[in-house]
Amino acid sequence: AEYMGAILDFMWLLFAVCLAIPTTDVLPASLDASSPFESFEDYVAKYTGFAVEKHWVTTDDGYILGLYRILPAGKIGPAIILQHGILASMWCWVNNAPMQAIALELGRMGYDVWLTNSRGNSFSRNHTTLSPHSKEFWNFSFSDMGKYDVIANVEYVLSHATQSENVTFVGWSQGTTQMFISALASERGAYLQEKVSLFVALSPVTYLDKCDSTLLYILAKLDLGQVLYDLFPYGFLDGSIPLSEVELMMCKATLGAVCKLSVDAICGTSIYDDAQQIENFSEHFPDGTSTKDIVHYEQFVDSQRFGEYDYGANQNQIHYNQTTPPPFDLNTLQVPVALFAGSNDDLVPSEDYALMLQQLPADQIVFQRIYDGFSHMTWFVGVQKSWYWFDDFS
C-alpha cells in the first residue's frame, strides 16, 4: 500500500501535473484546439492546405515507426526532421495557434517537414516479430531509440527527400537525448556527421543531477523507479487505463493533496505559457512509452551520470562486461548543435545545463541561448510575445 500510494503520486505529478492535464474531459471551444478524434492529416489541411504523407520505417531491431511528412505548396525545400519528447507524439509540433505551430510554420517556409514518432507511442506500436502485448516489446529506453530509431529515420528521410543530401534534426526533450546518444563517436556518429547538417536541441536533456522536480527527487531517493517497473512491465500511460481513472485514484489516495499541486512541482511555470495551449497539448498527451524508459531517466537524478541503463552490478556484467553502466561521452559529439534552453525549466536546471555544456566539444556548439522565463514547454505552448525565439531557430 505504501509503494502504491507513492506510485500514484508519481504518475500524477510527473505527467498530469507537468502538462497540466485537465480534470475534465470537456475541451473548451478554441479555434486553435484539435479534437482527439480529428486526424493529423485533417488538422494540418484545415490550417495550411498542405498535403500529408504517411510512411513506415523499420529499425534494425524490428520496431516499425510511423513517420509523417508535411509537403509544402510549390517547390519543396530542404528536409527537416522533428523528434518529440517522452510520452508525446508528432502532435506536439503542430500545437499552439496555427501561426505559432513549429511544423506548420516550417512548412510555410518551404521546408520538407518530417515528423517522427518514438517506439511505443500510438503511431509506432508495432514490430516485425514482437507483440505489443509482450514484455519483450516494451524492453527499451531512450538508449535504444538513440542507437536504432534516429539512424533509421534519417536514412529513410534522405532516401525519400529528393531535394536533400543532408537533413536538419530538431529534437525536444527526450528527442535531444536520443540524438546526443546517436551522434557520439561510433559508426553511427560517423554516418550522422556526414548526413546531419545541424542538430537543434530544444530543452536538451542529458544530466539530471540537480533536477528541481520534487517528484523525481523523491522517486530516486526511495528507488520507486524499479517499483514502477515491477508494477507496469508493459506500456506506461499508453491509454490501456483511462487517465480519468488514474486521476480519481490519485485524488482519493492522497486525500486531494496531489490534485492541488501546480505545474511548478515538476516542470516549472512560465509567464510565457498559455493555459489554453497547455490544455490543447494534453488532448494528445500522454501517448505512451515503456516503463523502462522512465526508470532510465530516474537513474540520473542526484547522480551526475549520463549513461546506459543500470541493471545492477551482476546484470551490468552480463550486458556490458563491466559492473557499472558505460557513460555516454558527450565530448565525442560528431554533429554541430544549436542549444535552446529555458531559465524556468525545472527538469533541466541551470546547473545540469552547464554541466552538459562543459562536456560538449566547443567547436560543435554553433549556437546556444537560455531564454529568460521559458519553461520546458514554452516552444509549444507559449503566448505570442514568446514567439521571438523562432527567429533564432529559423
Side-chain angles (χ1 to χ4, degrees):
E2 179 182 358
Y3 278 148
M4 181 58 73
I7 288 300
L8 290 172
D9 287 353
F10 166 72
M11 294 170 66
W12 176 260
L13 282 173
L14 179 57
F15 304 110
V17 174
C18 178
L19 292 175
I21 295 173
T23 56
T24 174
D25 293 328
V26 179
L27 180 65
S30 169
L31 292 177
D32 305 330
S34 61
S35 164
F37 304 106
E38 184 175 28
S39 74
F40 184 82
E41 295 90 333
D42 289 345
Y43 183 79
V44 171
K46 179 170 64 176
Y47 288 112
T48 66
F50 295 154
V52 176
E53 296 178 353
K54 185 175 182 180
H55 297 255
W56 298 105
V57 179
T58 302
T59 67
D60 283 348
D61 60 344
Y63 285 84
I64 301 173
L65 312 177
L67 178 64
Y68 283 62
R69 182 187 195 184
I70 297 178
L71 287 168
K75 184 179 179 180
I76 300 176
I80 187 166
I81 293 175
L82 306 180
Q83 173 61 58
H84 62 79
I86 194 168
L87 283 168
S89 73
M90 63 182 176
W91 273 103
C92 68
W93 300 104
V94 298
N95 198 71
N96 217 331
M99 299 305 293
Q100 292 174 232
I102 297 172
L104 302 186
E105 190 61 16
L106 289 172
R108 294 186 189 98
M109 296 169 66
Y111 283 96
D112 186 2
V113 182
W114 293 80
L115 302 106
T116 56
N117 287 282
S118 295
R119 57 177 67 191
N121 82 5
S122 62
F123 297 96
S124 299
R125 202 166 293 163
N126 207 345
H127 194 279
T128 54
T129 60
L130 301 176
S131 167
H133 303 293
S134 68
K135 291 182 180 179
E136 291 77 12
F137 177 90
W138 297 99
N139 184 25
F140 64 80
S141 79
F142 52 78
S143 177
D144 302 286
M145 300 175 196
K147 294 172 184 175
Y148 299 104
D149 298 8
V150 172
I151 291 293
N153 283 320
V154 170
E155 288 181 339
Y156 187 93
V157 167
L158 288 178
S159 68
H160 289 76
T162 56
Q163 303 302 315
S164 297
E165 295 182 357
N166 50 40
V167 64
T168 298
F169 183 100
V170 183
W172 167 59
S173 194
Q174 182 179 255
T176 70
T177 311
Q178 294 178 40
M179 184 50 128
F180 280 125
I181 294 170
S182 191
L184 300 181
S186 64
E187 185 176 344
R188 292 188 308 273
Y191 171 80
L192 293 175
Q193 183 180 42
E194 178 183 351
K195 299 299 183 181
V196 175
S197 57
L198 179 64
F199 165 30
V200 179
L202 305 179
S203 300
V205 178
T206 54
Y207 295 98
L208 294 175
D209 179 42
K210 302 299 183 182
C211 181
D212 287 336
S213 164
T214 301
L215 159 77
L216 287 180
Y217 180 80
I218 293 174
L219 180 67
K221 285 297 184 181
L222 299 180
D223 196 25
L224 295 181
Q226 188 58 48
V227 175
L228 181 72
Y229 183 79
D230 292 339
L231 291 173
F232 303 97
Y234 303 96
F236 185 71
L237 289 178
D238 59 351
S240 58
I241 301 176
L243 189 57
S244 59
E245 291 186 15
V246 176
E247 295 172 353
L248 182 60
M249 291 167 62
M250 177 277 308
C251 286
K252 290 183 177 180
T254 62
L255 300 178
V258 175
C259 302
K260 298 178 182 179
L261 290 175
S262 68
V263 175
D264 193 51
I266 177 65
C267 289
T269 56
S270 170
I271 60 173
Y272 293 118
D273 293 348
D274 186 313
Q276 178 64 65
Q277 294 303 336
I278 293 175
E279 189 169 351
N280 293 346
F281 190 103
S282 73
E283 285 301 306
H284 301 280
F285 182 97
D287 202 24
T289 188
S290 70
T291 300
K292 184 178 182 180
D293 194 27
I294 297 165
V295 172
H296 198 165
Y297 275 123
E298 173 267 329
Q299 293 178 348
F300 295 162
V301 177
D302 200 25
S303 71
Q304 282 201 343
R305 186 178 78 84
F306 178 55
E308 293 283 9
Y309 188 90
D310 190 351
Y311 294 95
N314 292 336
Q315 287 297 312
N316 285 340
Q317 188 68 49
I318 295 173
H319 282 86
Y320 312 122
N321 291 318
Q322 59 187 59
T323 58
T324 58
F328 297 128
D329 186 1
L330 291 174
N331 189 53
T332 67
L333 186 72
Q334 302 294 296
V335 299
V337 60
L339 300 165
F340 291 69
S343 67
N344 276 34
D345 188 341
D346 278 2
L347 286 177
V348 188
S350 58
E351 296 93 335
D352 289 333
Y353 181 76
L355 180 58
M356 179 193 68
L357 283 178
Q358 293 172 12
Q359 301 297 318
L360 290 171
D363 60 346
Q364 292 288 18
I365 302 175
V366 299
F367 175 87
Q368 81 92 8
R369 181 175 178 180
I370 299 176
Y371 293 83
D372 187 42
F374 278 36
S375 75
H376 199 70
M377 293 180 56
T378 303
W379 330 105
F380 305 105
V381 300
V383 297
Q384 186 175 5
K385 67 179 180 180
S386 70
W387 189 240
Y388 71 90
W389 75 270
F390 193 79
D391 293 335
D392 292 333
F393 175 83
S394 57

